[in-house]
Amino acid sequence: MHISAIAGGVGGARFLRGLLAHLAASPDPARRSARVTAVVNTGDDTTMHGLRITPDLDTVMYTLGGAVHEEQGWGRRDESRVVSSELAAYGTGPDWFTLGDRDLGTHVFRTQLLREGLPLSGVVERLCERWLPGGHPAVAPDGPTVRLLPMSDDDVETHVHLADGRTVHFQEWWVRLRASVPATGFTQVGVDGAKPAPGVLDALREADAVLLPPSNPVVSIGTVLGVPGVREALRDGGAPVVGVSPVLGGRVVRGMADACLSAIGVETSALGVAGLYADLLDTWLVDDDADGALHGSTVPGAAPGRGRVLARPLLMSSPQAAADLAGAALDAALATGRRPS
């Protein structure tokens, strides 16, 4: 069994961890030995202190590798910030984006490999040799495996157009401004000319199921879908596509995705987000408590016979809840089966 997912940030990372836990605990041998491919957003990437930083890839890698700072949901646990303090004392670089000492080791190694000419996909493979040996450290050697792929080897950076007339990098708007300054839109610089990283299109076309975790629909999943060929691979390929709403009862579960949705004129609701994926979805999962009334309906704009809405518990309030959610998404995909290409 081959399962692919498009992910970014904390929500995507925790969903993937739940998926691996579900697969490892399944009595079904096909699930226990499944291959998972995660295509991860790189539109948040930036360069600071001369180092190339890939926040979403690192969050997924650290989470699946058991090293993430659980309370934050990103970065390394047991972290120190001696180097960042020294850089601040010199007055260099943005003081609002603090890099931990352990995390810096990853950025230095990544930047070194990139400067030596290795593409980002090759760099990710090298990094995962440490963090995901044999697939995943929390499961048996014959259990499910996971492979991380950047959406592209080409540089793509999300810039935010602010209501006050400025344009800033996404990280400045998200981290320094905390999305407090209203945005009027986003530009993914470089995405139109970006090529999918090796293996991305095959993973999406040939999977038995493609899952869209509750990641930011605008600047995470939306950016991946903006890479030429990715949306078409999902829309026209044979793999069933199941998405999970990041909005419950009109409220985002985590982060500031509502500010992103407002910036592009989309309602902060389960169906508002579903509309961004309407041409792709076979099934859309909404929360059974907050949006249960939508159960059995159809996503507006979905292709004929597709876009059914199912209500399931969506809150990943514990590792078991995350595993149950991932299992429900996979069940919905496998019940649909592959479509004729």
Side-chain angles (χ1 to χ4, degrees):
M1 183 181 295
H2 183 199
I3 306 160
S4 293
I6 294 177
V10 179
R14 290 180 172 173
F15 179 90
L16 287 168
R17 184 170 61 184
L19 175 61
L20 291 170
H22 164 78
L23 295 171
S26 174
D28 179 1
R31 296 199 188 201
R32 286 202 308 274
S33 60
R35 294 179 295 119
V36 177
T37 301
V39 179
V40 183
N41 167 51
T42 60
D44 295 3
D45 295 5
T46 188
T47 299
M48 294 185 182
H49 307 296
L51 302 175
R52 193 63 178 166
I53 299 168
T54 61
D56 280 3
L57 276 165
D58 290 352
T59 295
V60 174
M61 182 177 71
Y62 290 153
T63 300
L64 300 185
V68 76
H69 189 304
E70 287 291 348
E71 290 71 28
Q72 291 179 161
W74 50 270
R76 295 279 300 277
R77 69 169 183 264
D78 302 324
E79 190 60 281
S80 57
R81 292 177 173 80
V82 175
V83 175
S84 287
S85 297
E86 287 297 304
L87 290 170
Y90 284 117
T92 181
D95 58 4
W96 47 267
F97 199 93
T98 303
L99 299 172
D101 297 325
R102 295 175 184 271
D103 198 27
L104 272 166
T106 298
H107 304 319
V108 170
F109 186 50
R110 175 189 301 112
T111 304
Q112 173 188 332
L113 294 176
L114 289 171
R115 288 176 179 167
E116 291 173 356
L118 198 64
L120 181 59
S121 54
V123 174
V124 171
E125 187 174 356
R126 287 287 305 277
L127 291 170
C128 287
E129 288 174 2
R130 174 186 179 187
W131 294 109
L132 306 176
H136 188 264
V139 301
D142 59 345
T145 61
V146 59
R147 181 188 185 195
L148 304 189
L149 293 176
M151 66 183 195
S152 177
D153 282 336
D154 301 312
D155 289 347
V156 177
E157 292 192 358
T158 300
H159 292 184
V160 186
H161 306 293
L162 304 182
D164 62 13
R166 289 178 293 159
T167 296
V168 300
H169 191 284
F170 173 76
Q171 292 298 341
E172 182 171 357
W173 183 64
W174 198 252
V175 178
R176 185 174 78 86
L177 300 176
R178 301 294 297 168
S180 61
V181 179
T184 58
F186 304 90
T187 298
Q188 277 80 26
V189 178
V191 74
D192 291 339
K195 296 179 180 179
V200 166
L201 295 185
D202 287 343
L204 298 177
R205 290 180 182 135
E206 298 171 4
D208 297 295
V210 174
L211 308 180
L212 306 181
S215 298
N216 190 306
V218 180
V219 295
S220 290
I221 292 180
T223 304
V224 179
L225 294 178
V227 176
V230 169
R231 194 174 199 105
E232 292 78 6
L234 292 179
R235 185 184 62 221
D236 304 330
V241 179
V242 175
V244 179
S245 176
V247 176
L248 282 65
R251 299 173 63 88
V252 296
V253 177
R254 182 185 178 90
M256 299 157 284
D258 51 341
C260 299
L261 291 166
S262 296
I264 64 171
V266 173
E267 179 184 63
T268 302
S269 68
L271 287 186
V273 176
L276 298 174
Y277 313 139
D279 59 324
L280 309 176
L281 291 171
D282 289 284
T283 305
W284 182 240
L285 300 188
V286 301
D287 187 64
D288 62 346
D289 184 28
D291 297 297
L294 298 175
H295 180 78
S297 63
T298 301
V299 173
R306 301 174 63 189
R308 62 175 180 161
V309 178
L310 298 181
R312 299 289 187 269
L314 298 194
L315 275 178
M316 295 187 289
S317 55
S318 68
Q320 185 59 55
D324 291 343
L325 171 58
L330 180 58
D331 287 343
L334 296 181
T336 301
R338 287 187 61 86
R339 305 186 305 272
S341 296

